[in-house]
Amino acid sequence: MGRRQILGDSRRYSRSGGGSVIALSSTKLKANPTFRQFKVPHSTSVFPPTLKHLFQKPPLTSTAAAATPQNANPVKTKKAQTISALINTTPWSAQLEARLSPLSPLSQTTFFQTLRRIKTPSKALHFFNWAHRSGFPHNPHSYFMMLEILGRARHLNPARNFLLSIPSKSGNAVPLTDKLFNSLIRSYADAGLLQESVKVFVAMKSMAISPSTVTFNSLFLILLKRGRVGKVFQLYDEMLKTFGVKPDSYTFNVLIRGFCKNSMVDEAFRFFREMDTFACEPDLVTYNTIVDGLCRAGKVDIARNVMNGMHKKCESLRPNVVSYTTLIRGYCGKGEIEEALDVLKEMVGKGIKPNHITYNTIIKGLCEAQRLDMVKEVLGDEDGVRFVPDSCTFNTFLSAHCDRESFDEAFNVFEKMKELKVEQDSATYSILIRALCNKGSFDKAEELLDEVYEQEILLRDKSSTPLTASYNPVFKHLCANGKTKKAERVFRQLMRRGKPDPLAFETLILGQCREGAFEDGHKLLILMLRRDLVPSMKIYESLIDGLLREGEVTLALDTLERMLRSSHLPRTSAFHRILMELNGKGCASESADLMMLMLNNEIRPNINLSTNAVCLLFKTRMKERAFELVKSVYERGFVVNIGDVISFLCKDKQFLEASELLGFSLKNEQNVDVEVCVAVVTGVCEAGQLTEAFSLYYELLEKGIQLPVSCLEELRNEFEAQGKLKEAEFVAKRLLHASNTLNPESYI
């Protein structure tokens, strides 16, 4: 591995050096000649948990490489440029195809050059199909290339359909092969779609297409990424025993790295030892991976033995800067600083130059071990190599001073960074702000927070990923002192790059509630849910209560619905309060929605509020929803004051709806006052619906409800006037019977 690669790796590998450590005093900082000669370093912002950068995808096959001719014909290249430019700037249509027709037929070179230049995958597929219709003879590689284009663009369903259509498109001239399925499996895996990758693998087997080593490698990658280690063992056995496919070195590197990432270093070591069985030679990637896994498992001495055994396995195999740095980190993590220093000396003695990662790692270890006497030696010249401290180094010292509450020295380091133009990143500020808050120096912490916002420290791409939790103490202080808006503006910058933190969201939302900014709190709630975080009951209840007090009943309802989706069950009183407000504001549809929510969640509705909700639906002429709601209430074993609803309908001249609801009440054995029944029958008659009136009267008789004589007389007269003599005769007989058996005045 070349020096450029090592330095490139170091940029992704160094930030783990910035923890809580014991730092040098400001006197030593100023006295050290290295600090006086600081230069602006490059960013070394992340110390990765694994040696991910060493793993690359397998090289393209010779067929794929052949798709890029190095000495293409200039005429054909110009033709490809013309076609691709036309396609990229014009929507695909019959007119475009007509403009392309004079440019056909296409040579193999022109086709592939054009396909690579088309920017939109869907247009590439249109071009592919157009070329076929124009007589271009597609071959296995053209199908493979089209499949790769769709897969890389995450057009996965079209890619799958394209793959399965290859036999029919080619007239069975191009068979389905493992290479084509491998492409689709890899595309699904790159998109993180484990189940879909497995489905493609199953489909491949069902078509009697034998998977290859590449197939299994792609599946191992995504299974281990998802932590499905049991499935990996099962698939490994299937690979060997069912299909007789032998693993290669890349297979073992994937397995070793994956099991190390899943904290299963013993299993990783098992595969490391198994490489000899299949005549696979471990390379530097393999050794560095297993060393890293052993160190993270605390087995640093074993890791050192493995590393020392490299050259015994292969004379040309030697540890590199990554190997030694990993080992140093392992010893520092265990507090065995002498061994770490011994490894550093061995590394330098073998002519391997430490990089920023190495130095930051050992400095962090020395500070944690309180071996400040050794820091100066590490920072100084060593065999002509000078270490230029960077942000990570300064943050290590800064954190150490803060841990010791040596704030004067901490700010000396902070100012030294400015003086030497070393980037003060998010970690720099968060260390100071958190420490000041813990000490109670909130004014100074707030000043630094203002700098963070104004200088947009949190938005710098080169900066380390900001940790939202580090700013929680200052957010808590601001929100408790009426400054939630100031906290939120910084928080929203954090959310553009930082990792979401539930506690920070809760602090800000409750702060907005205390300050009466409930709508702003609701917006933060939505932002929190979009980040797949689950708000607490306290957040929801505070927002609902405040929104109702402010008259924002629609937002309160929205909050309650989101609360249910978060698997929190609101109190019954919250439902009733919102329903009361919705009824009062005439929000008929929303009231009905809330009623259904209550019923679906087995919340007992208040009978008066339910009745009002039904009446509101009828009032706004939402008849179907009203009947649906009444039916749902009774199906759940609850009731409404149906007499009040029928009376409302009669007053509102909705007699047919009143009649239908009365019929529903009778079927459900609900008691309805005779006066209500009289009002409905009379109203239906007045509306000229005599058939409906007679039917309702007959149903009342069957239920044993006797109408007053005056009502019967009115009913008989109406029937006679409209020529309905049979109905009139029937009512007359009932009227005569009533007159003979009862005193009519008893109905008054």
Side-chain angles (χ1 to χ4, degrees):
M1 181 179 296
R3 183 174 181 272
R4 180 177 298 177
Q5 177 65 44
I6 293 171
L7 290 176
D9 293 340
S10 75
R11 292 184 177 91
R12 297 190 294 274
Y13 196 41
S14 75
R15 280 290 172 191
S16 77
S20 298
V21 293
I22 306 299
L24 293 173
S25 67
S26 60
T27 304
K28 290 184 178 180
L29 285 173
K30 295 174 182 176
N32 192 319
T34 303
F35 275 93
R36 291 199 300 268
Q37 301 178 41
F38 280 150
K39 299 177 182 178
V40 179
H42 57 264
S43 173
T44 57
S45 58
V46 181
F47 197 120
T50 59
L51 305 178
K52 180 178 179 181
H53 57 278
L54 295 176
F55 290 87
Q56 305 295 334
K57 291 184 179 179
L60 292 175
T61 62
S62 58
T63 307
T68 310
Q70 295 180 355
N71 298 311
N73 188 312
V75 176
K76 294 178 180 179
T77 301
K78 186 174 181 180
K79 185 175 181 180
Q81 291 172 342
T82 301
I83 296 173
S84 59
L86 187 60
I87 293 172
N88 286 330
T89 57
T90 310
W92 195 275
S93 62
Q95 290 78 9
L96 175 60
E97 291 187 8
R99 295 175 66 182
L100 292 175
S101 293
L103 299 173
S104 62
L106 304 175
S107 67
Q108 290 281 333
T109 302
T110 301
F111 171 80
F112 285 115
Q113 287 183 350
T114 303
L115 192 60
R116 282 194 298 273
R117 285 180 168 87
I118 297 175
K119 298 177 181 179
T120 307
S122 59
K123 286 186 176 181
L125 185 56
H126 279 302
F127 171 71
F128 183 95
N129 293 330
W130 171 82
H132 177 70
R133 293 193 301 271
S134 300
F136 179 79
H138 285 304
N139 57 28
H141 179 61
S142 63
Y143 281 103
F144 176 78
M145 186 173 176
M146 187 65 243
L147 186 63
E148 285 277 287
I149 289 171
L150 293 171
R152 283 197 298 268
R154 302 287 174 87
H155 288 215
L156 299 176
N157 285 336
R160 180 186 59 204
N161 295 336
F162 178 81
L163 170 63
L164 298 177
S165 71
I166 289 176
S168 60
K169 281 180 178 292
S170 65
N172 293 318
V174 177
L176 294 178
T177 62
D178 66 297
K179 177 182 175 181
L180 294 168
F181 278 93
N182 292 344
S183 173
L184 188 56
I185 289 172
R186 185 171 61 251
S187 295
Y188 275 119
D190 289 344
L193 300 174
L194 169 60
Q195 295 300 327
E196 296 302 322
S197 292
V198 173
K199 285 179 183 178
V200 175
F201 176 64
V202 172
M204 178 182 183
K205 293 189 294 182
S206 70
M207 296 179 185
I209 299 170
S210 297
S212 63
T213 306
V214 176
T215 312
F216 288 102
N217 289 348
S218 297
L219 290 168
F220 288 145
L221 273 169
I222 188 170
L223 286 167
L224 289 165
K225 184 178 180 180
R226 292 294 188 87
R228 300 288 295 276
V229 291
K231 185 69 176 176
V232 170
F233 284 120
Q234 178 184 336
L235 192 65
Y236 185 73
D237 288 340
E238 186 177 0
M239 175 183 180
L240 299 179
K241 298 175 182 178
T242 304
F243 295 99
V245 176
K246 292 184 178 181
D248 55 18
S249 296
Y250 183 75
T251 308
F252 284 109
N253 283 343
V254 168
L255 292 170
I256 291 168
R257 173 179 176 265
F259 279 106
C260 285
K261 279 194 72 173
N262 283 281
S263 302
M264 300 176 68
V265 68
D266 291 336
E267 286 75 5
F269 206 66
R270 167 199 150 186
F271 284 107
F272 177 72
R273 292 193 300 266
E274 197 168 324
M275 294 182 75
D276 283 338
T277 307
F278 296 94
C280 293
E281 293 292 334
D283 55 15
L284 188 58
V285 171
T286 314
Y287 276 102
N288 282 344
T289 304
I290 199 68
V291 166
D292 181 66
L294 289 166
C295 287
R296 293 185 183 282
K299 301 178 180 182
V300 190
D301 290 332
I302 298 175
R304 191 171 188 179
N305 290 334
V306 169
M307 195 177 80
N308 291 335
M310 280 190 194
H311 71 281
K312 296 178 183 178
K313 188 72 176 178
C314 177
E315 186 63 28
S316 62
L317 201 59
R318 289 286 187 272
N320 65 357
V321 64
V322 176
S323 315
Y324 281 105
T325 301
T326 302
L327 202 59
I328 289 170
R329 177 172 54 79
Y331 278 122
C332 287
K334 294 186 70 176
E336 298 177 1
I337 198 65
E338 294 295 340
E339 287 77 2
L341 291 169
D342 184 52
V343 173
L344 180 63
K345 291 176 182 177
E346 178 185 330
M347 175 183 182
V348 174
K350 291 186 176 182
I352 299 175
K353 295 181 179 180
N355 59 20
H356 273 69
I357 306 168
T358 316
Y359 282 118
N360 282 329
T361 302
I362 196 68
I363 289 170
K364 178 177 181 288
L366 288 168
C367 290
E368 288 179 338
Q370 300 188 38
R371 293 292 303 274
L372 304 183
D373 55 314
M374 296 296 299
V375 174
K376 182 177 180 180
E377 180 180 338
V378 172
L379 288 175
D381 288 328
E382 188 168 349
D383 294 338
V385 178
R386 180 176 296 281
F387 169 57
V388 180
D390 59 3
S391 300
C392 178
T393 317
F394 274 107
N395 289 343
T396 299
F397 296 133
L398 198 64
S399 179
H401 288 309
C402 289
D403 287 345
R404 299 172 65 185
E405 295 190 357
S406 302
F407 288 101
D408 289 340
E409 295 179 352
F411 275 98
N412 285 338
V413 175
F414 184 73
E415 292 302 322
K416 197 69 177 178
M417 293 179 75
K418 289 183 179 178
E419 178 186 332
L420 300 170
K421 298 182 180 179
V422 177
E423 181 186 14
Q424 295 170 307
D425 59 14
S426 172
T428 310
Y429 280 92
S430 65
I431 291 168
L432 278 172
I433 290 172
R434 191 178 185 92
L436 289 167
C437 288
N438 290 338
K439 187 187 177 185
S441 301
F442 293 108
D443 290 342
K444 185 61 178 176
E446 193 173 336
E447 286 180 21
L448 291 176
L449 192 70
D450 289 339
E451 283 186 32
V452 168
Y453 177 76
E454 291 163 5
Q455 298 177 23
E456 296 187 338
I457 301 292
L458 303 171
L459 302 180
R460 295 177 183 173
D461 291 336
K462 293 182 180 180
S463 175
S464 58
T465 301
L467 298 176
T468 307
S470 299
Y471 293 87
N472 280 341
V474 71
F475 288 160
K476 186 176 180 181
H477 165 74
L478 292 171
C479 293
N481 289 274
K483 299 179 180 179
T484 303
K485 290 190 182 299
K486 174 181 279 194
E488 184 177 341
R489 69 182 189 178
V490 177
F491 177 74
R492 286 189 175 273
Q493 281 191 350
L494 270 169
M495 286 301 92
R496 290 169 65 177
R497 293 191 62 243
K499 184 178 179 180
D501 180 67
L503 182 58
F505 271 107
E506 180 162 329
T507 299
L508 267 71
I509 293 172
L510 295 181
Q512 297 287 23
C513 290
R514 278 193 295 271
E515 295 173 29
F518 300 104
E519 289 188 49
D520 291 336
H522 181 263
K523 290 175 183 176
L524 283 173
L525 171 72
I526 294 173
L527 180 62
M528 184 177 186
L529 291 168
R530 286 176 180 168
R531 298 300 182 103
D532 295 325
L533 300 176
V534 180
S536 65
M537 283 281 289
K538 187 176 183 180
I539 289 176
Y540 280 115
E541 289 179 345
S542 298
L543 278 173
I544 290 172
D545 180 68
L547 289 167
L548 285 174
R549 282 191 277 110
E550 293 295 314
E552 297 290 346
V553 63
T554 306
L555 288 180
L557 174 59
D558 177 79
T559 305
L560 182 136
E561 291 171 343
R562 295 176 189 276
M563 185 177 184
L564 285 168
R565 290 197 290 271
S566 296
S567 300
H568 293 311
L569 186 62
R571 298 177 184 177
T572 302
S573 59
F575 284 99
H576 289 166
R577 287 180 64 195
I578 295 175
L579 184 57
M580 181 185 298
E581 292 295 324
L582 289 171
N583 287 340
K585 289 182 177 291
C587 302
S589 182
E590 290 80 359
S591 293
D593 290 340
L594 181 54
M595 282 287 300
M596 292 306 302
L597 269 180
M598 296 175 70
L599 296 173
N600 292 335
N601 287 278
E602 299 180 354
I603 303 294
R604 176 180 290 276
N606 176 283
I607 187 170
N608 293 327
L609 294 175
S610 303
T611 302
N612 292 341
V614 173
C615 289
L616 187 57
L617 287 170
F618 279 119
K619 182 179 180 180
T620 53
R621 298 302 186 263
M622 300 173 68
K623 180 181 74 171
E624 291 183 2
R625 289 204 69 182
F627 281 116
E628 179 186 344
L629 181 57
V630 171
K631 183 180 178 182
S632 297
V633 168
Y634 279 83
E635 284 177 348
R636 299 321 197 273
F638 306 120
V639 297
V640 299
N641 194 330
I642 208 156
D644 287 356
V645 179
I646 295 172
S647 296
F648 166 80
L649 289 171
C650 290
K651 291 177 182 177
D652 203 40
K653 305 299 182 182
Q654 298 187 56
F655 296 112
L656 290 179
E657 288 78 6
S659 175
E660 187 176 345
L661 196 57
L662 180 56
F664 174 84
S665 177
L666 295 174
K667 289 177 183 177
N668 284 275
E669 305 298 331
Q670 298 295 307
N671 294 324
V672 181
D673 291 341
V674 173
E675 289 82 356
V676 174
C677 296
V678 169
V680 176
V681 173
T682 303
V684 173
C685 283
E686 290 177 0
Q689 302 291 329
L690 298 183
T691 302
E692 176 68 24
F694 183 80
S695 177
L696 181 57
Y697 169 60
Y698 192 84
E699 192 172 353
L700 289 170
L701 283 177
E702 286 188 330
K703 294 295 182 180
I705 299 175
Q706 300 291 335
L707 297 180
V709 170
S710 59
C711 179
L712 294 178
E713 288 176 342
E714 185 177 344
L715 193 60
R716 179 197 61 191
N717 295 338
E718 194 67 34
F719 285 143
E720 288 177 348
Q722 296 297 325
K724 294 186 175 294
L725 301 180
K726 289 184 178 180
E727 288 85 349
E729 182 181 356
F730 181 85
V731 176
K733 289 179 180 179
R734 299 303 305 170
L735 180 60
L736 179 61
H737 176 74
S739 300
N740 292 335
T741 57
L742 296 173
N743 181 1
E745 293 190 4
S746 65
Y747 292 95
I748 299 176

